[in-house]
Amino acid sequence: MFEKQASKQIDQVLHKMQHVYHVDVGGFGEQLRIKHPKLWKQIKDQWDDTFSRIPITYELEMKITDAGSSTD
């Protein structure tokens, strides 16, 4: 249940980043610059436009290790 809710929230944030605000606040461009510098040099000037069009996929795995307690 937590994993499903977290995935929904991530999807909403990614949608807003790419399609509403067109800004890369997640640092995807920085990772691209580090891992693929030649490609980055080619697209860096159009990164905002490119970022808003690329598909972003992710994997989410949650593991609850301690249920904790509530003392309301």
Side-chain angles (χ1 to χ4, degrees):
M1 184 169 78
F2 292 115
E3 204 169 290
K4 186 176 179 179
Q5 184 64 27
S7 181
K8 183 179 176 181
Q9 290 177 346
I10 291 169
D11 288 340
Q12 290 172 346
V13 168
L14 287 173
H15 175 78
K16 284 186 178 182
M17 285 171 50
Q18 289 188 288
H19 305 292
V20 177
Y21 301 112
H22 304 276
V23 290
D24 176 14
V25 295
F28 296 100
E30 184 65 14
Q31 289 300 310
L32 183 63
R33 183 189 66 79
I34 292 167
K35 293 181 181 179
H36 304 281
K38 289 180 183 178
L39 176 61
W40 176 250
K41 283 184 179 185
Q42 294 173 356
I43 65 170
K44 68 180 178 180
D45 292 333
Q46 302 88 24
W47 178 241
D48 290 335
D49 181 54
T50 303
F51 172 71
S52 65
R53 292 183 288 114
I54 60 172
I56 296 176
T57 59
Y58 62 92
E59 292 182 26
L60 178 65
E61 181 179 323
M62 297 180 87
K63 181 187 261 185
I64 298 174
T65 58
D66 185 3
S69 63
S70 177
T71 56
D72 289 350

